[in-house]
Each structure stands twice: as structure tokens, then as C-alpha cells.
Amino acid sequence: MNVLKLFNLRGVRIPNHKEKTKDLKVESLKAAKYLYYPMDMHIGKPAEPGVTVGDPVKIGTLIGESEGGISTNIHASVSGTVVSIEEDESSGVKTVVIENDYRDEKVTLEDLDTEPSIEDFMKRLEAAGITGKGGAGFPAHIKYDMEQDKARYLVINGAECEPYSTADHRCMVEYADEIVKIIQLIVKIYEVNAAYIAVEEDMAGSREALDRALSENSAEKIFLHDLPTVYPQGHGALQIHEILGIEIEEGERSGDIGVLQSNVSTVKAIYDAVFKNEPFYKRIITVTGPMIKNPKNVMVRLGTRVEDIIEACGGFLDEVRLNISGGPMMGKSFEDLSLAVDKDTTTLLFLKRYPKEEERACIRCAKCVNSCPVSLQPILISNAYRNREYDLGIDLKSKSCISCGICTYICPSRIDLLEDIQKLNKELEGRNDE
Ligand code: SF4
Ligand code: SF4
């Protein structure tokens, strides 16, 4: 059995670039005239539209029905009318388009018991369409599908380790009371031994807000756990090892070892679903980077196009940019500004675009090896891919790569090691599918 060795160097210190937005209060963005809801705004199977053109909707109307398994419900984030349902020619994924009537009429979910059973709690997460808000987009009701006698710990991730991102930080500063209250309920429902909220040691504001909320709510069994500000301390398996000393075996999920794990913004969404009967239809995102005029943390309705958000942030400073959804280490670059905010969007980052540096020969400095948080040998895996020795990738445990990007970031020869590792893993997956 492979065990990830997570206690190597536990990541690297990189400039966090959070100073521009960490103290900015979350602004509620005025909803746009048209909202776009791709039915694949989560991982897994796309939802199926549950509305037709001409249907009136309110905030909270179910417009996309989960296809079961890893899939999730999608709700309208404005009131108005369904004006079209577009289908992508290549993927077949449908997008529901709603014209906003600016009345902000709402429908809510039914009341839930103040102390719901695990089953009712999971049903609520499913009905509300809650997915992990840290970027992974995994349906929360599947994560929380755990029997009471199996659940031992709850770990809440408030360590937002990607540079530039401050959405989780602001969520903790501004919604600490709600976060603590829902954690108290989850602790009660699952009867876990203890809950830990992981916070980064140099994000003082969120720590203080949570500390205050814990004491005001006389919270028992809930502890703050300071993590050093190193990347990638936000990774789930690393956090579990750091906080609980438990190692996760290759292929295991946190639930397999009795640990319920969520991001702080996800538990805030769970609070809204349980205490306010609201489905997941809005989220906090950070809009930042040197190329945006007015960086902000914004509360934005799902389905809002990036171009509408840019306008609300004063526009760009330069048209030559690198646009990234997510952080600079694990985010994805994109060109199309008509893309809509989905359930996974955490940050919109706009960087200066520099010419790509030429790759040079490996100088065998071993920086990639010494920095890998899961003790892999990135250069050897990269060589295995380039030499088409795919089986060697298995021996080198390439599948254990958590795609943190440190090896590529740190390599002085500018070798895109992560890209090679991902390509090798794709080759191996393709082989399994044959
Ligand atoms: S991207 Fe993968 S191989 Fe590279 S440092 Fe991160 S975990 Fe290690
Ligand atoms: S960090 Fe780059 S140059 Fe150094 S050993 Fe790894 S691949 Fe080679």
C-alpha cells in the first residue's frame, strides 16, 4: 500500500500578494441583466435543465437538476425569465440564460429541524446544490455521506494558500459567527471528537474574528489551528497530516479515515442552506492582479459573466494580460471574458503577460525534489514521460502528484515539470480506459 509522505518540507514560502485586497470589505455586485448558467458548473455529470424558454424564475428556483452520483442541482441567482437554453456544439453541455427583472423575488427551501438527522442534513446539502467552494467543486452531500460512528474529526480549511486570493479570508472576517454556528451544528449531528479550523498564521484578521466568535458562542470541541504561511498548506491531505497526524493512503479520501473536511466558504454556504433555507446561488470571489484597475472582494451571483465583473472593477489597465481563474499556482488561464462565474470560481486574477522563458537543460540542483510536498522526484517523472517510459511513472508514483505546481515554479531551468507529469498521468489513465 502506498502512503503519501507528507512531512517532507511541507511546501515553500512564496510571495502572497494579498495586501491589495485582504482588508477590503466584500462588496455586493449589482446583478447583471443576463445571467448564464452552464449545466456543468461543478465537477462530475452536468445537470439537466429543469426549465424551458419563457419560464418565470425567482432567486432559488431550481433550473438545473442533478443527474445523480457526482452531479449537483443548480438554482437561479436572480428573478426574471428564461430567455434561451443554448447547447455547446462540441460538448453538448447546455447553458440556461435568464433575463433579470431586478425584482429579486425569492423562493426558499423548506424549514429544517433545528437538529436534523444526518440523512436530513445530507438531503439539504443536495437540495441546495452545495459543492466545495475551495475550487474543487465536489458535491458536499457526497462528502458528508458518513455514518455517525465513523466520523471522528471535522477539519475546516481556512488556509487560503494560493497567492492573491482573499475571498476565504474575508468570509472568515465578515461571517465568523455563521461559520462557528454551523460548525457547532455539524459537530453535534455527527458527534465528532473535535473540529479544527485551519488558519494561516499571518492572516491575523480572520484568526481574531473566529477567536471572538468561538468565545461568544461558547463553542466546545472547536479549535483554531495555526498553519505556517507556506504553499500548499491549503491542500486537504497535507492539512489532515499537519493537524491530526494522520497520513492518507494513495487513492483514499478524507472520509475513508473518518475525517469530514470542508472549506470555510463551503460551511458558510451550508449555514445559508440550513439556517436561512437558501440554496447556493452566490459566492465571494477575489478580483485582483496588477492588470485590474480596482481590485475587490465581491459577492457575486452565480452565472455572472467575467466581463460584467471587470466593468464593476473599473476595467483593465492593459489589454496584454494573462487571465487566470483561481490562483497563479493551480488556476487555469482563459481568454474568453464571456465565461460565467460558476460554483468553483474563487479568484479572477489578471497578471502582466511576459514572454515564456526558454527551457534550459536540467542542472541537477534537486530543488524540485527537495520541495515536493509529497516527496516525489519530479525531474525523474518528467524524464520518464519524455522518454515514453510510462511504466516508470507508476514506479515513481506519478499519480500521487497533487498538481501543486511547486516543481515548475521552483525550477531554475524553467522546465514545466507539472505539465509533463500531468501528460504522463493522462497516458496512464488512457491505458486504464482501454
Ligand atoms: S506538482 Fe506534483 S510533483 Fe510537482 S511539487 Fe507538486 S506534488 Fe510534487
Ligand atoms: S529543479 Fe529543475 S534544474 Fe533543478 S533538478 Fe529539478 S528539473 Fe533539474
Side-chain angles (χ1 to χ4, degrees):
M1 187 73 81
N2 290 323
V3 175
L4 301 186
K5 294 293 173 205
L6 300 170
F7 33 82
N8 177 9
L9 280 182
R10 301 187 321 209
V12 293
R13 285 191 187 269
I14 48 181
N16 79 9
H17 296 291
K18 295 181 193 265
E19 59 290 336
K20 273 194 182 162
T21 54
K22 77 181 171 64
D23 297 323
L24 297 180
K25 234 175 157 263
V26 175
E27 275 181 40
S28 280
L29 276 199
K30 184 173 179 263
K33 180 73 180 160
Y34 293 97
L35 286 292
Y36 299 79
Y37 306 84
M39 294 288 107
D40 64 347
M41 58 160 66
H42 49 264
I43 67 157
K45 284 182 272 179
E48 188 54 33
V51 285
T52 52
V53 173
D55 282 356
V57 295
K58 295 182 178 176
I59 294 174
T61 298
L62 183 65
I63 57 168
E65 291 170 12
S66 163
E67 282 287 271
I70 300 179
S71 184
T72 187
N73 288 337
I74 297 171
H75 302 81
S77 57
V78 293
S79 57
T81 309
V82 177
V83 288
S84 71
I85 298 176
E86 299 163 357
E87 186 167 334
D88 184 270
E89 273 179 25
S90 55
S91 66
V93 173
K94 294 170 186 149
T95 296
V96 173
V97 185
I98 294 176
E99 183 176 357
N100 190 356
D101 64 10
Y102 290 101
R103 290 199 186 123
D104 268 0
E105 290 176 310
K106 275 188 183 180
V107 282
T108 53
L109 303 164
E110 286 171 12
D111 281 343
L112 193 64
D113 276 356
T114 46
E115 269 187 45
S117 63
I118 288 182
E119 204 189 341
D120 287 346
F121 179 70
M122 282 185 343
K123 277 189 191 155
R124 171 52 51 107
L125 304 187
E126 188 173 14
I130 295 174
T131 56
K133 285 172 107 176
F138 195 78
H141 66 278
I142 299 179
K143 260 199 167 180
Y144 280 84
D145 184 6
M146 193 184 293
E147 286 161 24
Q148 209 171 48
D149 57 356
K150 291 241 173 70
R152 297 190 291 155
Y153 299 104
L154 175 64
V155 173
I156 304 298
N157 180 12
E160 197 174 22
C161 62
E162 274 273 15
Y164 291 97
S165 302
T166 53
D168 286 346
H169 168 68
R170 290 312 305 178
C171 183
M172 289 183 278
V173 170
E174 296 178 39
Y175 299 100
D177 188 61
E178 287 92 330
I179 290 169
V180 167
K181 284 195 163 84
I182 191 67
I183 294 173
Q184 284 180 302
L185 183 67
I186 299 171
V187 165
K188 220 179 226 178
I189 296 174
Y190 286 87
E191 293 184 5
V192 294
N193 302 338
Y196 297 92
I197 312 174
V199 286
E200 277 187 293
E201 63 189 1
D202 68 353
M203 296 302 270
S206 40
R207 188 183 208 294
E208 284 157 15
L210 287 167
D211 217 5
R212 205 175 314 120
L214 286 170
S215 118
E216 282 169 6
N217 286 286
S218 310
E220 290 175 7
K221 297 209 262 183
I222 306 175
F223 308 96
L224 291 180
H225 189 103
D226 284 322
L227 290 176
T229 307
V230 295
Y231 178 83
Q233 280 293 12
H235 185 267
L238 286 167
Q239 256 181 30
I240 287 174
H241 181 264
E242 176 70 29
I243 296 171
L244 302 171
I246 303 172
E247 287 166 22
I248 296 192
E249 292 174 358
E250 194 176 282
E252 271 187 333
R253 288 190 178 279
S254 55
D256 299 329
I257 53 165
V259 180
L260 295 164
Q261 193 170 32
S262 274
N263 167 278
V264 276
S265 294
T266 311
V267 290
K268 167 64 172 69
I270 297 176
Y271 174 92
D272 292 340
V274 169
F275 289 106
K276 292 160 75 180
N277 301 331
E278 276 184 2
F280 177 14
Y281 73 89
K282 61 182 192 291
R283 63 165 303 146
I284 302 171
I285 65 168
T286 305
V287 188
T288 187
M291 291 292 99
I292 190 87
K293 204 163 180 194
N294 302 316
K296 291 177 187 220
N297 297 298
V298 289
M299 181 70 83
V300 61
R301 318 275 178 115
L302 299 186
T304 305
R305 282 184 154 175
V306 171
E307 59 201 14
D308 292 321
I309 298 171
I310 299 311
E311 202 184 321
C313 293
F316 292 122
L317 290 170
D318 198 328
E319 285 313 306
V320 184
R321 307 171 309 270
L322 178 62
N323 311 329
I324 300 176
S325 175
M329 299 300 284
M330 294 180 81
K332 300 258 182 299
S333 63
F334 67 96
E335 294 292 336
D336 184 0
L337 299 179
S338 70
L339 287 176
V341 166
D342 63 20
K343 297 193 177 197
D344 306 349
T345 313
T346 58
T347 304
L348 294 173
L349 174 61
F350 302 98
L351 297 174
K352 284 185 185 159
R353 186 186 279 277
Y354 295 104
K356 202 175 175 202
E357 272 189 73
E358 284 293 312
E359 178 183 309
R360 298 180 293 276
C362 170
I363 56 170
R364 301 189 182 179
C365 65
K367 282 188 177 176
C368 58
V369 176
N370 292 335
S371 306
C372 176
V374 289
S375 299
L376 299 182
Q377 300 175 80
I379 181 58
L380 296 188
I381 305 175
S382 165
N383 287 342
Y385 170 71
R386 293 182 182 201
N387 296 331
R388 297 175 179 235
E389 294 172 319
Y390 304 138
D391 285 334
L392 194 54
I394 301 172
D395 297 340
L396 292 166
K397 300 187 170 59
S398 67
K399 285 278 185 72
S400 298
C401 171
I402 58 170
S403 300
C404 69
I406 288 177
C407 49
T408 296
Y409 171 82
I410 213 156
C411 174
S413 293
R414 295 286 162 254
I415 302 171
D416 197 339
L417 297 156
L418 174 58
E419 188 176 286
D420 289 348
I421 294 166
Q422 286 177 330
K423 283 181 178 165
L424 187 141
N425 284 338
K426 222 170 188 169
E427 287 290 340
L428 294 175
E429 272 163 32
R431 222 191 263 180
N432 290 342
D433 292 343
E434 281 168 11

